[in-house]
Amino acid sequence: MTIPTGSTGDGSTKPAAALLKRIDIGLTTGVVAVLVAFLSLLVARSQTQMALEAQKASVLPIIDIDLGYENIADRSEAMFAVRLNNVGAGIAHIQKVAPLQNGEPVTDVDTFDLAVMNGRMRSNAGYPITAPAAGFLRAGDTVTPRAYRMGAAGSELGAYLRGQFGPPMDGVDVEVCYCSVFEDCWTVRYLDRKLPEPVKTCGIEDAPVDLFQTYIDQTAAKRLGN
């Protein structure tokens, strides 16, 4: 006896289409469940990333560099200063600070000083105000790694800035590399006057490069040698 297609052989008929329909519905439900789970994962990941970016923005440090001459003491006296200002919202871990001349690091204190003033001004300027530049700088704080009260040297400052002794501060620049508490890092230069540029790293974190600290060490060594 031949059993008809879709028959169970016991006289009852259950169309195979109904079974296939149930399988199709179950498969579709499973696929939809997988898609919903995948989309939920994407949404959760996106929300986590947005929350992280919001956290980073809330503690974003921004280093602004000031370099040059300014009036002090009710504009009756001049000062040369290099200042690093954290104008951002979070702590800046300053890991690299390098004075430059024509794009090259200036490693000698005398070379730097003569790059920002002539020899006569240097001999008449006050003793430099110094501070280590590398380290942690809180939002709203400023560090001044090198400054001079010009004193008697101020009498020649106008002529110096007018270029009577050559181009003033010719090619002098300062480069700073710093990181946030999330270890995102940036580099910035004074002469570029651009936004800080993201970089992968500032170098070796436990060995900061601070040429202004080198200047302090050089000056101390000269004083002890005299």
Side-chain angles (χ1 to χ4, degrees), residues 155-170:
S155 61
E156 294 195 13
L157 180 58
Y160 172 77
L161 294 178
R162 288 193 299 271
Q164 292 184 209
F165 305 103
M169 296 186 293
D170 186 24

Side-chain angles (χ1 to χ4, degrees), residues 51-126:
L52 179 60
E53 293 300 324
Q55 287 181 331
K56 289 183 176 182
S58 69
V59 294
L60 178 69
I62 302 174
I63 295 297
D64 179 68
I65 305 171
D66 286 334
L67 183 159
Y69 287 90
E70 58 191 40
N71 291 312
I72 59 173
D74 296 327
R75 305 182 67 85
S76 61
E77 189 179 350
M79 172 182 279
F80 169 81
V82 178
R83 291 193 177 91
L84 310 181
N85 310 298
N86 185 356
V87 298
I91 294 174
H93 185 190
I94 300 175
Q95 298 186 24
K96 180 180 179 181
V97 185
L100 310 173
Q101 187 170 32
N102 299 321
E104 296 296 326
V106 183
T107 58
D108 182 81
V109 61
D110 292 328
T111 302
F112 176 79
D113 288 346
L114 291 175
V116 299
M117 64 186 81
N118 62 31
R120 187 181 302 175
M121 292 169 64
R122 175 64 188 88
S123 63
N124 291 321

